[in-house]
Amino acid sequence: MGLRIHFVVDPQGWCCMGLIIFVWLYNTIFIPKVILFPHYEEGHISAVAILCYYLCSLFCIASLVRASVADPGRLPENPKIPITEREFWELCNKCNMMRPKRSHHCSRCGHCVRRMDHHCPWINNCVGEDNHWLFLQLCFYTQILSSYTLLLDFCHYYYFLPLKKDNWDVFVFRHELALLRISAFMGIIILGGISGLFYTQLIGIFTVSIKSLNFRNISRPRKPWQQTFSEVFGTRWKILWFIPFRQRQPLRAPYHFANHV
């Protein structure tokens, strides 16, 4: 599947996304300067801690940018509907276009999106079939980065040995306490909010897996959660579920799940 760019003109979404990028940029710049590099120079931590922080930061911003510009699953204007699948399509009463069931019309974007979950102002985009996996990665890596930042803030004052160097000529060291308090405050707010969002996303995926059981035909098996996650992420290789630097390929559902995907 080729890369399809989806750009939403929404000033409110731009402000929300700009705020998220500001928080990410703030922690990516000041946490290494105030905590990681000084403690590394004095032998309190290893280079692995610095590398892990930058990797988490890279994966976080990569998933954010890709989720915000990726096509969530916009339907074409004149879709070709196979005869065998017409019963699984319906007419949208807002844009008067045919769409698959479980698609929804987004009032902000002005079109229907396949398997639309919601319109997220924090990424200024819909969360749909083609970028849901990126949104899950964004929630996951934001939690990891926020937790790591809070852990470093705590260890800087209560665990690490005091720094011997006093670089009072540098701005970040003069305002060290204020910078770390701001970082800790933003980390707590974001971690609390994103954890709740990530939990509801996982519950939603598991609920879809449970609802795949057709109660009118009890002989149909329940879709395993691994199958559901594989369809969301576009691969059965679980290690690739955590990599934002790839293209999602839609999976073909087994025949006994085809009508419930």
Side-chain angles (χ1 to χ4, degrees):
M1 177 180 294
L3 181 62
R4 298 171 60 185
I5 303 298
H6 184 257
F7 185 76
V8 180
V9 180
D10 184 5
Q12 179 183 355
W14 294 342
C15 293
C16 292
M17 188 174 176
L19 180 61
I20 295 297
I21 293 178
F22 167 77
V23 174
W24 171 83
L25 197 61
Y26 181 94
N27 288 304
T28 303
I29 292 176
F30 288 117
I31 291 299
K33 280 191 175 183
V34 176
I35 300 178
L36 291 174
F37 288 124
H39 285 283
Y40 170 73
E41 291 175 358
E42 298 192 9
H44 300 163
I45 61 176
S46 67
V48 177
I50 301 177
L51 178 62
C52 290
Y53 191 84
Y54 277 118
L55 281 177
C56 290
S57 180
L58 175 63
F59 278 41
C60 183
I61 193 62
S63 57
L64 170 63
V65 172
R66 291 206 59 194
S68 65
V69 301
D71 186 351
R74 180 176 181 175
L75 294 169
E77 295 184 359
N78 297 312
K80 296 182 180 180
I81 308 174
I83 299 178
T84 58
E85 296 183 5
R86 288 183 178 178
E87 61 177 308
F88 304 114
W89 287 64
E90 61 186 6
L91 181 67
C92 175
N93 56 7
K94 295 183 179 179
C95 59
N96 295 322
M97 291 178 55
M98 295 298 294
R99 66 186 187 186
K101 293 182 178 179
R102 288 190 58 196
S103 300
H104 297 280
H105 185 90
C106 178
S107 57
R108 284 192 174 272
C109 297
H111 54 75
C112 291
V113 178
R114 297 191 311 272
R115 298 193 197 177
M116 176 179 169
D117 186 84
H118 68 286
H119 183 92
C120 181
W122 300 107
I123 64 172
N124 192 33
N125 200 356
C126 288
V127 178
E129 180 180 8
D130 291 342
N131 70 341
H132 196 181
W133 65 285
L134 290 167
F135 185 74
L136 291 174
Q137 288 184 354
L138 173 61
C139 293
F140 176 76
Y141 286 117
T142 302
Q143 289 183 96
I144 297 297
L145 187 61
S146 300
S147 301
Y148 199 179
T149 300
L150 291 173
L151 178 63
L152 290 173
D153 291 337
F154 176 82
C155 291
H156 179 68
Y157 281 106
Y158 300 105
Y159 183 76
F160 293 149
L161 295 175
L163 295 173
K164 299 177 181 179
K165 297 180 180 180
D166 294 327
N167 298 321
W168 298 109
D169 294 334
V170 183
F171 171 82
V172 293
F173 283 92
R174 288 183 177 180
H175 305 278
E176 172 188 354
L177 182 60
L179 291 173
L180 293 183
R181 283 180 175 177
I182 294 174
S183 173
F185 174 76
M186 293 189 299
I188 293 174
I189 296 298
I190 291 181
L191 180 61
I194 207 69
S195 296
L197 179 60
F198 189 58
Y199 174 77
T200 57
Q201 289 292 311
L202 294 180
I203 292 299
I205 294 177
F206 282 115
T207 302
V208 170
S209 177
I210 294 174
K211 286 183 178 180
S212 65
L213 178 62
N214 187 347
F215 293 99
R216 295 181 180 179
N217 186 357
I218 202 66
S219 63
R220 289 183 179 270
R222 178 183 300 179
K223 183 191 297 185
W225 68 267
Q226 297 94 332
Q227 174 67 23
T228 305
F229 273 88
S230 297
E231 293 168 7
V232 171
F233 286 94
T235 178
R236 293 183 175 88
W237 292 88
K238 295 181 177 59
I239 188 63
L240 296 180
W241 294 358
F242 302 92
I243 307 298
F245 310 103
R246 63 179 180 86
Q247 292 297 318
R248 177 184 179 273
Q249 299 294 334
L251 292 182
R252 191 183 192 91
Y255 73 96
H256 48 270
F257 295 135
N259 295 342
H260 305 277
V261 177

